[in-house]
Amino acid sequence: MRRDVYDVVIVGSGAGGGMAAYELTKAGATVLLLEAGGMWDNTKDSDMLVAPWETPRRGGSTPDKPFGEHDACIGGWNVPGEPFTTAPGSRFQWWRARMVGGRTNHWGRISLRFGPDDFQHKSIDGLGDNWPITYDDVKPYYDEVDDLIGIFGSREGMRNHPDGKFLPAPKPRCWEMPIKKAADKHAVTCIPSRLSIITRPHNGRAACHYCGQCNRGCRTNSNFTSTNVLIAPALRTGKLTMRTDAMVREVSVGKDGLADGVIFIDKVRGEEMKVNAKVVVLAASACETARIMLNSKSAKFPQGLGNSSGMVGKYLTDTTGTDVGGFLPALADQPRHNCDGVGGAHLYMPWWLDNKKLDFPRGYHIEIWGGMGMPGYGVGGGMQNYAGGGGYGASLKSDVRKYWGTGVGFSGRGEMIPNEKSFCEIDPRAVDQWGIPVLRFHWEWSDYEYNQVKHMQETFRTLLQEMGAVVRSNMPTKEQGYGIATGGSIIHELGCVRMGSDPKASVLNEHCQTWDCKNVFVADGGPFVSQADKNPTWTILALSMRTSRYIAEQRKGGKL
């Protein structure tokens, strides 16, 4: 690589990195984008139109595609050569995507704004910390993200679930109607989903054609990925250089105490290299960014870059989760139809209760599942558990056809309160295949999360009973944690590089700029002060846009 000095080097090509590349190249900066994985383009490489029965595995999973061989994302909780460790007594899973576009290739496109309370929740219940910014500070950027990317939904006027600039939402499917009816009966708010899938032509992209295969990558570019909605336009400016298979080890620091570039491993050649830049934007995902900062030790920063407060890695959170499903006899023997719609449910349930009347302080939302997707690997499994089901031959085939599409269920996604016992740090004894020290995770749920998940289980079972569904699983006990998902398994890791108002208690200021080193910024889930009961991608995008505009202003003013 030539010894060029880029205006900005960005580490990571997911939602935050893609948005930073889009904004900074538009502002005229020369940008180098480093991605640890390889190239993958959803408009060319997707299996969107491959039927499961066309491949020998019938869509079954592979080691690098644990959600099925046709799933868009390359990566998983176990990436060969890239281990992580957990402290004794801790259970944690760490998902990594290794491809251009990162996790935007693998998500449900659930695109929810945080609400006013989510930024200032400590003022309401005294727990955690307030953000140094408010909803009003972020709202203009949410609006611009809506306009740029496109999102469907409905205007509901709910204070802490703010409306966006929505495209029309698709109508509920057949299997969703009983869920809506049951939710209404029990006064559980149930509204159209809010997904970043365009239902009308938008900014030169075609509207969704309702094939329902979003998880495979969209060949028509109708759902959001960083690759073709943000990075592709950035490349067309001629200002962006992208380098794949570049595993970043550390941010390098000059004698003046400012970052002067990034040191990375060229994974193809196995060589360590350095790129020079005036500004560094870390957008590698919350934990990977923390790892890079902790490994960036120098005489100026012996505890790691940006870590004079000792807060890098601290207050790691993930969304809480649990699931309950059942068999709905009313859906048996349905006339065959293709369940037209987007890749995901057309309804969801935002948090609807007052926590002051409950034994847990923060809420959750409910995602629903069901319908007749394309049958693939494992179809018909467990048929013996259905009334009259089982056997073999023609009768088994008949039963599979009869009961296909009768399964429905609920998944809760709730807010975790940050705690001192959940964090990541550098493992002093373990390194990855390139000799880079790896992360060790500590994790502990509190009674707040357990009580919240217990409420999820009870609510889901009430709704299923109302629908007339048969639930075969027993209510998990307290000793079983009420079925709470393992930390990290919902793939919403946030925090550990938090923003704040006090340099002694946070890593970043309100612009996601490190207190210790003014030309290093973070543009992923790391700056989050709280989790909220919403999926985080829309807030990552809005914050990255806001941070990138700040960087552009500072450069224009000669301050960076």
Side-chain angles (χ1 to χ4, degrees):
M1 177 174 287
R2 293 182 301 169
R3 304 297 291 177
D4 295 326
V5 179
Y6 293 89
D7 292 329
V8 183
V9 60
I10 300 170
V11 181
S13 64
M19 179 60 81
Y22 177 84
E23 285 290 331
L24 291 166
T25 54
K26 191 172 66 172
T30 58
V31 176
L32 174 65
L33 180 63
L34 298 177
E35 164 55 46
M39 186 61 209
W40 199 87
D41 184 335
N42 52 282
T43 65
K44 302 174 183 174
D45 302 323
S46 166
D47 281 352
M48 186 175 79
L49 302 177
V50 178
W53 49 87
E54 293 182 59
T55 61
R57 302 184 68 87
R58 302 293 193 267
S61 64
T62 65
D64 64 346
K65 290 197 170 185
F67 286 87
E69 64 175 327
H70 302 304
D71 187 78
C73 192
I74 300 170
W77 287 288
N78 298 297
V79 180
E82 299 184 38
F84 63 90
T85 64
T86 54
S90 289
R91 296 181 63 215
F92 190 82
Q93 295 179 304
W94 186 23
W95 172 274
R96 273 80 42 88
R98 290 291 180 248
M99 61 198 304
V100 171
R103 300 185 189 200
T104 65
N105 294 293
H106 174 85
W107 68 308
R109 275 80 187 181
I110 299 173
S111 304
L112 307 174
R113 297 183 181 205
F114 281 25
D117 294 348
D118 298 322
F119 289 95
Q120 304 294 314
H121 230 135
K122 182 179 181 181
S123 298
I124 298 172
D125 59 22
L127 298 172
D129 285 296
N130 287 334
W131 293 55
I133 55 178
T134 67
Y135 175 72
D136 288 340
D137 293 317
V138 187
K139 180 183 181 303
Y141 302 96
Y142 279 133
D143 288 344
E144 288 201 51
V145 171
D146 289 354
D147 284 335
L148 173 65
I149 294 174
I151 176 175
F152 73 73
S154 58
R155 300 188 66 79
E156 303 288 343
M158 297 180 292
R159 181 180 176 280
N160 202 44
H161 306 281
D163 296 329
K165 303 175 79 171
F166 296 130
L167 299 169
K171 295 179 179 178
R173 298 176 172 99
C174 174
W175 64 269
E176 295 177 287
M177 297 306 291
I179 293 175
K180 170 65 174 169
K181 186 177 179 181
D184 290 346
K185 179 74 178 294
H186 288 268
V188 178
T189 303
C190 185
I191 63 174
S193 296
R194 296 173 171 183
L195 307 183
S196 49
I197 302 169
I198 53 177
T199 53
R200 295 287 185 275
H202 189 76
N203 289 340
R205 294 158 54 208
C208 176
H209 57 282
Y210 290 175
C211 76
Q213 302 303 315
C214 289
N215 66 306
R216 297 179 172 203
C218 185
R219 281 185 173 269
T220 60
N221 209 28
S222 303
N223 63 25
F224 169 65
T225 62
S226 175
T227 308
N228 276 297
V229 180
L230 300 174
I231 295 173
L235 286 168
R236 288 196 289 271
T237 67
K239 295 286 187 180
L240 177 65
T241 302
M242 184 165 63
R243 180 159 186 154
T244 58
D245 294 303
M247 188 74 192
V248 171
R249 190 187 75 192
E250 66 178 90
V251 177
S252 58
V253 176
K255 294 179 180 178
D256 58 1
L258 296 176
D260 62 8
V262 164
I263 298 172
F264 66 96
I265 309 298
D266 181 320
K267 291 165 59 176
V268 176
R269 302 167 64 178
E271 296 179 0
E272 182 176 292
M273 306 187 75
K274 180 181 177 183
V275 62
N276 301 303
K278 300 171 186 174
V279 175
V280 175
V281 176
L282 297 174
S285 80
C287 297
E288 191 71 57
T289 287
R291 179 193 182 198
I292 292 170
M293 295 178 77
L294 290 169
N295 279 327
S296 300
K297 295 181 178 179
S298 63
K300 176 73 174 179
F301 304 112
Q303 299 183 82
L305 183 65
N307 196 30
S308 63
S309 63
M311 297 300 293
V312 175
K314 306 298 184 185
Y315 296 106
L316 172 64
T317 62
D318 186 27
T319 295
T320 60
T322 194
D323 315 287
V324 182
F327 153 59
L328 187 55
L331 295 177
D333 283 324
Q334 294 179 73
R336 282 298 171 263
H337 61 284
N338 58 7
C339 288
D340 271 357
V342 302
H346 291 181
L347 298 175
Y348 94 111
M349 305 172 197
W351 180 235
W352 70 101
L353 295 173
D354 181 355
N355 287 92
K356 293 177 182 176
K357 301 175 181 177
L358 300 167
D359 61 356
F360 55 95
R362 305 282 172 90
Y364 61 88
H365 76 260
I366 304 173
E367 300 171 11
I368 63 175
W369 36 277
M372 292 187 290
M374 282 196 294
Y377 176 83
V379 64
M383 190 53 58
Q384 71 279 7
N385 297 317
Y386 290 77
Y392 56 90
S395 66
L396 176 60
K397 291 180 180 178
S398 176
D399 288 340
V400 171
R401 293 189 180 100
K402 177 179 181 179
Y403 292 119
W404 182 239
T406 59
V408 294
F410 301 89
S411 295
R413 297 290 181 259
E415 179 172 357
M416 171 189 181
I417 305 295
N419 68 67
E420 295 181 348
K421 296 180 179 178
S422 298
F423 62 96
C424 58
E425 62 182 352
I426 296 298
D427 189 311
R429 291 176 291 277
V431 297
D432 65 16
Q433 62 179 309
W434 302 286
I436 304 173
V438 307
L439 287 179
R440 176 169 59 190
F441 291 95
H442 300 250
W443 192 260
E444 187 170 309
W445 297 116
S446 72
D447 285 344
Y448 296 140
E449 288 80 42
Y450 286 121
N451 291 343
Q452 181 196 70
V453 168
K454 176 174 180 285
H455 192 274
M456 292 181 193
Q457 285 276 342
E458 293 168 344
T459 300
F460 301 164
R461 292 168 189 276
T462 297
L463 293 174
L464 286 163
Q465 183 178 28
E466 179 66 37
M467 295 161 60
V470 178
V471 180
R472 298 195 180 90
S473 64
N474 295 321
M475 172 80 185
T477 65
K478 180 178 181 179
E479 290 69 28
Q480 294 170 322
Y482 302 113
I484 194 168
T486 302
S489 64
I490 306 298
I491 320 179
H492 288 171
E493 317 93 78
L494 297 173
C496 68
V497 192
R498 299 202 305 172
M499 61 163 67
S501 301
D502 182 359
K504 295 180 181 177
S506 58
V507 181
L508 311 171
N509 65 18
E510 64 181 294
H511 301 294
C512 298
Q513 179 182 34
T514 57
W515 291 109
D516 297 347
C517 191
K518 70 175 185 178
N519 66 338
V520 176
F521 296 80
V522 178
D524 49 31
F528 282 48
V529 180
S530 61
Q531 184 86 31
D533 53 58
K534 286 92 175 179
N535 301 32
T537 303
W538 226 237
T539 302
I540 291 173
L541 288 162
L543 289 178
S544 178
M545 178 183 280
R546 183 174 182 269
T547 295
S548 300
R549 299 270 176 90
Y550 178 78
I551 293 171
E553 290 172 5
Q554 294 293 297
R555 290 187 65 247
K556 188 176 180 179
K559 298 179 180 178
L560 286 175

mmCIF file of all heavy atoms in Angstrom, residues 407-432:
data_model
loop_
_atom_site.group_PDB
_atom_site.id
_atom_site.type_symbol
_atom_site.label_atom_id
_atom_site.label_comp_id
_atom_site.label_asym_id
_atom_site.label_seq_id
_atom_site.Cartn_x
_atom_site.Cartn_y
_atom_site.Cartn_z
ATOM 1 N N GLY A 407 -47.916 -23.265 13.016
ATOM 2 C CA GLY A 407 -47.097 -22.815 14.138
ATOM 3 C C GLY A 407 -47.074 -21.293 14.225
ATOM 4 O O GLY A 407 -46.893 -20.604 13.222
ATOM 5 N N VAL A 408 -47.317 -20.764 15.410
ATOM 6 C CA VAL A 408 -47.231 -19.323 15.654
ATOM 7 C C VAL A 408 -46.480 -19.108 16.961
ATOM 8 O O VAL A 408 -46.420 -20.010 17.811
ATOM 9 C CB VAL A 408 -48.620 -18.663 15.754
ATOM 10 C CG1 VAL A 408 -49.353 -18.718 14.421
ATOM 11 C CG2 VAL A 408 -49.447 -19.323 16.847
ATOM 12 N N GLY A 409 -45.898 -17.930 17.125
ATOM 13 C CA GLY A 409 -45.167 -17.704 18.357
ATOM 14 C C GLY A 409 -44.795 -16.253 18.572
ATOM 15 O O GLY A 409 -45.032 -15.391 17.719
ATOM 16 N N PHE A 410 -44.212 -16.035 19.738
ATOM 17 C CA PHE A 410 -43.847 -14.698 20.165
ATOM 18 C C PHE A 410 -42.401 -14.695 20.674
ATOM 19 O O PHE A 410 -41.956 -15.644 21.314
ATOM 20 C CB PHE A 410 -44.760 -14.230 21.306
ATOM 21 C CG PHE A 410 -46.216 -14.210 20.935
ATOM 22 C CD1 PHE A 410 -47.006 -15.341 21.114
ATOM 23 C CD2 PHE A 410 -46.791 -13.077 20.388
ATOM 24 C CE1 PHE A 410 -48.351 -15.335 20.776
ATOM 25 C CE2 PHE A 410 -48.135 -13.059 20.036
ATOM 26 C CZ PHE A 410 -48.910 -14.181 20.228
ATOM 27 N N SER A 411 -41.698 -13.604 20.391
ATOM 28 C CA SER A 411 -40.352 -13.385 20.924
ATOM 29 C C SER A 411 -40.327 -12.030 21.607
ATOM 30 O O SER A 411 -40.705 -11.023 21.001
ATOM 31 C CB SER A 411 -39.303 -13.422 19.799
ATOM 32 O OG SER A 411 -39.236 -14.700 19.211
ATOM 33 N N GLY A 412 -39.885 -12.012 22.852
ATOM 34 C CA GLY A 412 -39.763 -10.746 23.574
ATOM 35 C C GLY A 412 -38.376 -10.171 23.394
ATOM 36 O O GLY A 412 -37.381 -10.897 23.333
ATOM 37 N N ARG A 413 -38.310 -8.845 23.298
ATOM 38 C CA ARG A 413 -37.030 -8.145 23.158
ATOM 39 C C ARG A 413 -37.055 -6.953 24.110
ATOM 40 O O ARG A 413 -37.711 -5.950 23.847
ATOM 41 C CB ARG A 413 -36.834 -7.682 21.711
ATOM 42 C CG ARG A 413 -36.764 -8.832 20.689
ATOM 43 C CD ARG A 413 -35.475 -9.622 20.844
ATOM 44 N NE ARG A 413 -35.344 -10.700 19.890
ATOM 45 C CZ ARG A 413 -35.593 -11.994 20.163
ATOM 46 N NH1 ARG A 413 -35.998 -12.350 21.376
ATOM 47 N NH2 ARG A 413 -35.441 -12.917 19.241
ATOM 48 N N GLY A 414 -36.326 -7.084 25.235
ATOM 49 C CA GLY A 414 -36.461 -6.100 26.299
ATOM 50 C C GLY A 414 -35.183 -5.366 26.649
ATOM 51 O O GLY A 414 -34.087 -5.708 26.194
ATOM 52 N N GLU A 415 -35.359 -4.356 27.487
ATOM 53 C CA GLU A 415 -34.240 -3.502 27.882
ATOM 54 C C GLU A 415 -33.542 -4.052 29.118
ATOM 55 O O GLU A 415 -34.180 -4.321 30.138
ATOM 56 C CB GLU A 415 -34.723 -2.081 28.164
ATOM 57 C CG GLU A 415 -33.587 -1.159 28.613
ATOM 58 C CD GLU A 415 -33.994 0.299 28.718
ATOM 59 O OE1 GLU A 415 -35.153 0.620 28.377
ATOM 60 O OE2 GLU A 415 -33.141 1.115 29.128
ATOM 61 N N MET A 416 -32.242 -4.182 29.035
ATOM 62 C CA MET A 416 -31.396 -4.573 30.164
ATOM 63 C C MET A 416 -30.858 -3.306 30.827
ATOM 64 O O MET A 416 -30.491 -2.348 30.148
ATOM 65 C CB MET A 416 -30.224 -5.421 29.639
ATOM 66 C CG MET A 416 -29.155 -5.731 30.656
ATOM 67 S SD MET A 416 -27.708 -6.496 29.850
ATOM 68 C CE MET A 416 -26.658 -6.775 31.286
ATOM 69 N N ILE A 417 -30.805 -3.315 32.147
ATOM 70 C CA ILE A 417 -30.188 -2.211 32.865
ATOM 71 C C ILE A 417 -28.681 -2.447 32.921
ATOM 72 O O ILE A 417 -28.237 -3.522 33.350
ATOM 73 C CB ILE A 417 -30.730 -2.118 34.312
ATOM 74 C CG1 ILE A 417 -32.263 -2.010 34.306
ATOM 75 C CG2 ILE A 417 -30.096 -0.934 35.026
ATOM 76 C CD1 ILE A 417 -32.794 -0.767 33.677
ATOM 77 N N PRO A 418 -27.852 -1.504 32.474
ATOM 78 C CA PRO A 418 -26.398 -1.715 32.543
ATOM 79 C C PRO A 418 -25.949 -1.987 33.979
ATOM 80 O O PRO A 418 -26.464 -1.377 34.922
ATOM 81 C CB PRO A 418 -25.829 -0.378 32.029
ATOM 82 C CG PRO A 418 -26.939 0.236 31.233
ATOM 83 C CD PRO A 418 -28.213 -0.198 31.906
ATOM 84 N N ASN A 419 -25.025 -2.916 34.149
ATOM 85 C CA ASN A 419 -24.514 -3.196 35.497
ATOM 86 C C ASN A 419 -23.002 -3.396 35.461
ATOM 87 O O ASN A 419 -22.425 -3.668 34.414
ATOM 88 C CB ASN A 419 -25.227 -4.415 36.098
ATOM 89 C CG ASN A 419 -24.892 -5.716 35.385
ATOM 90 O OD1 ASN A 419 -23.748 -6.200 35.437
ATOM 91 N ND2 ASN A 419 -25.875 -6.301 34.691
ATOM 92 N N GLU A 420 -22.382 -3.249 36.608
ATOM 93 C CA GLU A 420 -20.918 -3.298 36.708
ATOM 94 C C GLU A 420 -20.349 -4.694 36.483
ATOM 95 O O GLU A 420 -19.149 -4.847 36.258
ATOM 96 C CB GLU A 420 -20.475 -2.776 38.077
ATOM 97 C CG GLU A 420 -20.784 -1.296 38.290
ATOM 98 C CD GLU A 420 -20.303 -0.813 39.644
ATOM 99 O OE1 GLU A 420 -19.953 -1.678 40.487
ATOM 100 O OE2 GLU A 420 -20.282 0.415 39.863
ATOM 101 N N LYS A 421 -21.208 -5.718 36.553
ATOM 102 C CA LYS A 421 -20.723 -7.088 36.428
ATOM 103 C C LYS A 421 -20.778 -7.614 34.992
ATOM 104 O O LYS A 421 -20.410 -8.759 34.745
ATOM 105 C CB LYS A 421 -21.526 -8.003 37.354
ATOM 106 C CG LYS A 421 -21.337 -7.656 38.836
ATOM 107 C CD LYS A 421 -22.145 -8.568 39.734
ATOM 108 C CE LYS A 421 -21.927 -8.210 41.205
ATOM 109 N NZ LYS A 421 -22.731 -9.045 42.122
ATOM 110 N N SER A 422 -21.246 -6.787 34.082
ATOM 111 C CA SER A 422 -21.307 -7.187 32.671
ATOM 112 C C SER A 422 -20.366 -6.299 31.873
ATOM 113 O O SER A 422 -20.629 -5.108 31.682
ATOM 114 C CB SER A 422 -22.744 -7.067 32.144
ATOM 115 O OG SER A 422 -23.599 -7.939 32.852
ATOM 116 N N PHE A 423 -19.255 -6.878 31.445
ATOM 117 C CA PHE A 423 -18.246 -6.091 30.736
ATOM 118 C C PHE A 423 -17.311 -7.013 29.962
ATOM 119 O O PHE A 423 -17.352 -8.243 30.100
ATOM 120 C CB PHE A 423 -17.431 -5.235 31.716
ATOM 121 C CG PHE A 423 -16.636 -6.013 32.733
ATOM 122 C CD1 PHE A 423 -15.285 -6.299 32.522
ATOM 123 C CD2 PHE A 423 -17.216 -6.467 33.907
ATOM 124 C CE1 PHE A 423 -14.541 -7.006 33.455
ATOM 125 C CE2 PHE A 423 -16.479 -7.176 34.855
ATOM 126 C CZ PHE A 423 -15.146 -7.450 34.623
ATOM 127 N N CYS A 424 -16.471 -6.420 29.123
ATOM 128 C CA CYS A 424 -15.436 -7.186 28.428
ATOM 129 C C CYS A 424 -14.079 -6.554 28.704
ATOM 130 O O CYS A 424 -13.971 -5.363 29.001
ATOM 131 C CB CYS A 424 -15.713 -7.258 26.928
ATOM 132 S SG CYS A 424 -15.840 -5.662 26.077
ATOM 133 N N GLU A 425 -13.063 -7.379 28.618
ATOM 134 C CA GLU A 425 -11.689 -6.949 28.864
ATOM 135 C C GLU A 425 -10.765 -7.804 28.005
ATOM 136 O O GLU A 425 -11.193 -8.785 27.395
ATOM 137 C CB GLU A 425 -11.338 -7.145 30.341
ATOM 138 C CG GLU A 425 -11.416 -8.608 30.773
ATOM 139 C CD GLU A 425 -11.124 -8.830 32.243
ATOM 140 O OE1 GLU A 425 -10.716 -7.878 32.917
ATOM 141 O OE2 GLU A 425 -11.319 -9.973 32.699
ATOM 142 N N ILE A 426 -9.504 -7.429 27.950
ATOM 143 C CA ILE A 426 -8.530 -8.230 27.206
ATOM 144 C C ILE A 426 -8.136 -9.445 28.037
ATOM 145 O O ILE A 426 -7.755 -9.312 29.208
ATOM 146 C CB ILE A 426 -7.291 -7.394 26.850
ATOM 147 C CG1 ILE A 426 -7.669 -6.252 25.896
ATOM 148 C CG2 ILE A 426 -6.210 -8.283 26.234
ATOM 149 C CD1 ILE A 426 -8.221 -6.706 24.553
ATOM 150 N N ASP A 427 -8.247 -10.625 27.446
ATOM 151 C CA ASP A 427 -7.781 -11.842 28.110
ATOM 152 C C ASP A 427 -6.254 -11.829 28.099
ATOM 153 O O ASP A 427 -5.643 -11.747 27.018
ATOM 154 C CB ASP A 427 -8.313 -13.074 27.369
ATOM 155 C CG ASP A 427 -8.040 -14.369 28.133
ATOM 156 O OD1 ASP A 427 -6.882 -14.570 28.560
ATOM 157 O OD2 ASP A 427 -8.975 -15.159 28.289
ATOM 158 N N PRO A 428 -5.605 -11.897 29.245
ATOM 159 C CA PRO A 428 -4.135 -11.786 29.281
ATOM 160 C C PRO A 428 -3.402 -12.991 28.692
ATOM 161 O O PRO A 428 -2.181 -12.934 28.501
ATOM 162 C CB PRO A 428 -3.835 -11.628 30.774
ATOM 163 C CG PRO A 428 -4.989 -12.289 31.463
ATOM 164 C CD PRO A 428 -6.192 -12.031 30.596
ATOM 165 N N ARG A 429 -4.140 -14.081 28.393
ATOM 166 C CA ARG A 429 -3.444 -15.294 27.950
ATOM 167 C C ARG A 429 -3.829 -15.749 26.539
ATOM 168 O O ARG A 429 -3.156 -16.604 25.974
ATOM 169 C CB ARG A 429 -3.728 -16.442 28.924
ATOM 170 C CG ARG A 429 -3.087 -16.252 30.287
ATOM 171 C CD ARG A 429 -3.467 -17.346 31.246
ATOM 172 N NE ARG A 429 -4.879 -17.258 31.614
ATOM 173 C CZ ARG A 429 -5.339 -16.462 32.569
ATOM 174 N NH1 ARG A 429 -4.509 -15.682 33.236
ATOM 175 N NH2 ARG A 429 -6.611 -16.424 32.855
ATOM 176 N N ALA A 430 -4.887 -15.229 25.971
ATOM 177 C CA ALA A 430 -5.364 -15.770 24.696
ATOM 178 C C ALA A 430 -5.192 -14.751 23.568
ATOM 179 O O ALA A 430 -5.385 -13.552 23.758
ATOM 180 C CB ALA A 430 -6.839 -16.156 24.816
ATOM 181 N N VAL A 431 -4.824 -15.245 22.406
ATOM 182 C CA VAL A 431 -4.688 -14.417 21.212
ATOM 183 C C VAL A 431 -5.385 -15.136 20.051
ATOM 184 O O VAL A 431 -5.630 -16.341 20.102
ATOM 185 C CB VAL A 431 -3.208 -14.139 20.848
ATOM 186 C CG1 VAL A 431 -2.525 -13.353 21.953
ATOM 187 C CG2 VAL A 431 -2.468 -15.442 20.558
ATOM 188 N N ASP A 432 -5.685 -14.374 18.998
ATOM 189 C CA ASP A 432 -6.287 -14.984 17.818
ATOM 190 C C ASP A 432 -5.190 -15.469 16.876
ATOM 191 O O ASP A 432 -3.993 -15.436 17.208
ATOM 192 C CB ASP A 432 -7.263 -14.023 17.134
ATOM 193 C CG ASP A 432 -6.573 -12.784 16.558
ATOM 194 O OD1 ASP A 432 -5.327 -12.796 16.410
ATOM 195 O OD2 ASP A 432 -7.281 -11.810 16.247
#
